[in-house]
Amino acid sequence: MGTNTATKLILIARIAEERPAEKFISLMHLLNAEYLFACFKELKKGKAAGIDGKTVESYTEEKIKQILEQTVMDIKQKKYHPRPVRRVDIAKDNGKTRTLGIPTVVDKVVQLAMTKILEAIYEPNFLDVSYGYRPGKDAHTCLKSINHMIMQKKVNWIIDADIKGFFDNIDHTWMIKCLEQRIKDPNFKSLILRFLKAGIMNDNLKEETGKGTPQGGIISPVLANIYLHYVLDIWFEKQEKKKMTGYTQLTRYADDFIIGVQHQAEAKQILTDLEERLKKFGLELSLEKTKIIEFGRFAKENQTRKGRRKPETFHFLGFTHYCSTTQDGRFMVKVETNSKRLDKAIVGMKTWLKNVRNQKQLKEIWLALKVKLQGHYNYYGVSGNLEGIKQYYEQTRKLLFKWTNRRSQKKSWDWEIFEKHISDYPIPKPKLTYAIYHTW
């Protein structure tokens, strides 16, 4: 990052933290050529191209510097207009698709530059209940906080909430009003609005974007956090909590969140209030995915008294959370890999092995496989989920035997030879990587 801008961002973050009511009047001067080039250097290589067909690798250092200098001039003269994003549809676990919008490289650079500025302003004042796309926070720290909340606090009910098509339904007018809580620079706000309204290219036809922010854009996560900071987090902490007599707590990761509640009646009231609150800002809860479930240390005995075998579960961040007990009978919250996520991971491994079996040498396949397995363990290898990552490991071994045997017309090895190869050239075995139990 340009030294001058880097220093100013540190100062901005300090002011934002010390003076929560401060509004920043002048920000556009931070978008200089040196700063933009530093942001370009941070872009990951090997990523999909935008509508212009260009990737990071398409540019020489000299060429991108020339382009970025012109981009700065265009921004200053208010001539810069982000190009429409390229539409890519990604299959979801439920059979539906999720739309990603891939910006051009130049637009990615400007988005990253603006994202850093927004983070410097807003990050110091974001609440601790928010975990997604924030420095020092991730899915694991979010899972840990949920475990601690249920284990240590008076939680008897869980509101498992899902905002319907959140990124597609962010209201642009309200988004700007959220930004105006800390930003007074009209040109900076106008530039953000241009990104929001840049449009989506679908089969060479431009779709206008009257609302929403495309997933896939670098700036989208921080804009989402800003929106929900005002729409949800502050409202819940400063207003909704005060109406309750029992314990309640919101935990949010990006647009996914749960609420732990002590009393059932108050859980119902919170859900009703939540629906009204979101509606005001152009959002709604998914009826099929949002529910209130009894969950906690008394849930099991209550369900048994009602003639049910076991308490309900809830799914969050790729894990199924369920009520259990320790060996000596004490209550315990446990997690396991969500069955749909596990199935998807196994299908993904099968597809990859099928595609690379004749394209790469066995040594290359082995090296890439190690990375894939370790990546899975790094995320899903949390306390209590050893069985879940073992299933993935065992299925991977079977798929590896099957597809490496199809590298040619002639069968290359039987199971005994395969086992010997695995012994000589081992792949990572299942190992827990993150502790969420007893860490308070």
Side-chain angles (χ1 to χ4, degrees):
M1 185 186 304
T3 305
N4 188 37
T5 300
T7 303
K8 289 180 179 178
L9 289 182
I10 293 171
L11 178 61
I12 286 172
R14 187 181 304 150
I15 293 171
E17 183 174 15
E18 294 174 353
R19 297 181 286 202
E22 183 81 14
K23 292 190 178 183
F24 294 87
I25 299 173
S26 178
L27 296 171
M28 291 298 283
H29 70 282
L30 297 171
L31 300 175
N32 56 61
E34 182 186 9
Y35 174 44
L36 293 189
F37 179 67
C39 290
F40 170 79
K41 299 291 283 186
E42 289 186 34
L43 296 182
K44 294 180 179 179
K45 296 183 179 181
K47 296 296 182 179
I51 61 170
D52 59 357
K54 293 184 178 295
T55 62
V56 172
E57 295 88 339
S58 302
Y59 295 95
T60 63
E61 185 171 311
E62 181 182 355
K63 184 63 177 176
I64 194 64
K65 282 184 175 181
Q66 291 176 356
I67 292 172
L68 294 179
E69 285 176 5
Q70 183 60 51
T71 300
V72 170
M73 290 295 295
D74 290 343
I75 290 173
K76 287 181 178 179
Q77 296 172 8
K78 301 180 183 180
K79 294 179 180 179
Y80 173 76
H81 293 278
R83 302 186 68 177
V85 296
R86 183 169 68 86
R87 178 175 178 148
V88 178
D89 291 324
I90 306 295
K92 295 173 67 174
D93 295 342
N94 59 8
K96 297 180 181 179
T97 58
R98 176 166 58 99
T99 299
L100 294 183
I102 311 299
T104 65
V105 171
V106 174
D107 288 341
K108 282 182 181 179
V109 171
V110 179
Q111 283 196 34
L112 179 56
M114 298 181 76
T115 296
K116 289 177 180 291
I117 296 169
L118 289 171
E119 286 176 344
I121 295 170
Y122 286 93
E123 181 59 36
N125 301 126
F126 281 156
L127 304 187
D128 289 339
V129 301
S130 167
Y131 289 85
Y133 308 110
R134 296 186 60 193
K137 292 176 177 281
D138 57 18
H140 288 147
T141 55
C142 187
L143 290 167
K144 184 190 291 185
S145 73
I146 290 170
N147 178 272
H148 292 183
M149 174 185 72
I150 298 171
M151 290 293 293
Q152 292 184 294
K153 305 298 182 180
K154 295 179 180 179
V155 172
N156 299 314
W157 301 88
I158 293 289
I159 301 175
D160 184 7
D162 182 271
I163 300 176
K164 188 176 181 180
F166 170 71
F167 284 91
D168 295 331
N169 290 293
I170 291 176
D171 183 280
H172 291 174
T173 301
W174 279 115
M175 182 76 254
I176 296 301
K177 287 182 179 179
C178 289
L179 291 168
E180 286 173 346
Q181 302 305 305
R182 300 304 310 263
I183 296 173
K184 212 170 180 179
D185 185 333
N187 294 324
F188 194 83
K189 290 183 293 183
S190 176
L191 188 53
I192 290 176
L193 192 59
R194 288 186 184 185
F195 272 107
L196 292 174
K197 296 190 176 299
I200 300 173
M201 289 300 290
N202 188 17
D203 294 329
N204 294 321
L205 293 175
K206 181 181 176 181
E207 297 178 5
E208 299 296 330
T209 45
K211 61 180 179 178
T213 175
Q215 293 187 69
I218 293 173
I219 203 170
S220 292
V222 70
L223 289 180
N225 271 337
I226 292 169
Y227 201 76
L228 289 176
H229 172 69
Y230 292 107
V231 172
L232 182 62
D233 301 352
I234 288 181
W235 165 77
F236 189 83
E237 291 295 314
K238 305 297 184 184
Q239 296 182 42
E240 192 69 4
K241 268 190 173 183
K242 293 179 180 179
K243 294 165 57 177
M244 304 299 138
T245 59
Y247 175 83
T248 182
Q249 182 60 57
L250 165 76
T251 303
R252 179 174 68 81
Y253 188 93
D255 61 320
D256 295 324
F257 63 96
I258 65 161
I259 303 172
V261 190
Q262 184 175 355
H263 303 304
Q264 182 181 19
E266 293 190 341
K268 292 179 179 178
Q269 182 61 54
I270 289 170
L271 187 55
T272 298
D273 294 345
L274 181 61
E275 289 174 339
E276 287 298 313
R277 176 69 177 178
L278 293 178
K279 184 179 179 180
K280 177 180 177 180
F281 296 92
L283 303 172
E284 62 178 308
L285 292 173
S286 169
L287 296 178
E288 60 184 33
K289 294 181 180 180
T290 299
K291 58 183 178 180
I292 299 174
I293 65 168
E294 187 174 13
F295 197 95
R297 61 185 67 254
F298 304 114
K300 188 173 183 180
E301 57 188 75
N302 289 343
Q303 292 298 313
T304 301
R305 192 165 55 247
K306 295 173 184 176
R308 298 168 185 165
R309 191 165 64 89
K310 55 184 179 180
E312 288 186 84
T313 63
F314 67 92
H315 310 297
F316 193 69
L317 297 179
F319 292 89
T320 297
H321 300 244
Y322 63 98
C323 297
S324 185
T325 55
T326 60
Q327 290 184 342
D328 58 0
R330 288 176 292 121
F331 169 71
M332 189 174 191
V333 182
K334 290 187 177 181
V335 298
E336 62 185 9
T337 309
N338 179 273
S339 59
K340 290 182 179 179
R341 289 289 187 94
L342 181 59
D343 290 344
K344 185 177 180 180
I346 292 169
V347 169
M349 179 62 75
K350 176 183 176 181
T351 302
W352 178 75
L353 286 169
K354 182 179 178 181
N355 290 338
V356 301
R357 72 187 192 275
N358 290 320
Q359 297 176 3
K360 296 186 177 182
Q361 297 294 320
L362 203 58
K363 183 178 179 181
E364 293 180 281
I365 293 175
W366 236 251
L367 289 172
L369 180 67
K370 288 180 179 180
V371 174
K372 287 180 174 291
L373 281 170
Q374 194 57 57
H376 188 88
Y377 304 156
N378 286 347
Y379 185 79
Y380 289 102
V382 304
S383 305
N385 193 37
L386 184 59
E387 186 58 37
I389 58 176
K390 275 184 177 178
Q391 288 184 51
Y392 182 70
Y393 171 76
E394 293 299 336
Q395 289 297 319
T396 295
R397 275 168 50 92
K398 292 176 182 178
L399 290 168
L400 187 60
F401 174 74
K402 175 182 177 180
W403 290 106
T404 51
N405 250 333
R406 297 189 180 186
R407 282 168 57 82
S408 63
Q409 295 296 321
K410 185 178 179 181
K411 192 173 181 180
S412 56
W413 49 25
D414 57 23
W415 187 258
E416 185 177 344
I417 297 174
F418 173 74
E419 287 278 23
K420 185 178 185 306
H421 190 83
I422 287 283
S423 177
D424 293 339
Y425 304 95
I427 57 177
K429 291 185 177 181
K431 183 179 180 181
L432 298 181
T433 56
Y434 193 84
I436 60 174
Y437 298 161
H438 310 303
T439 53
W440 47 80

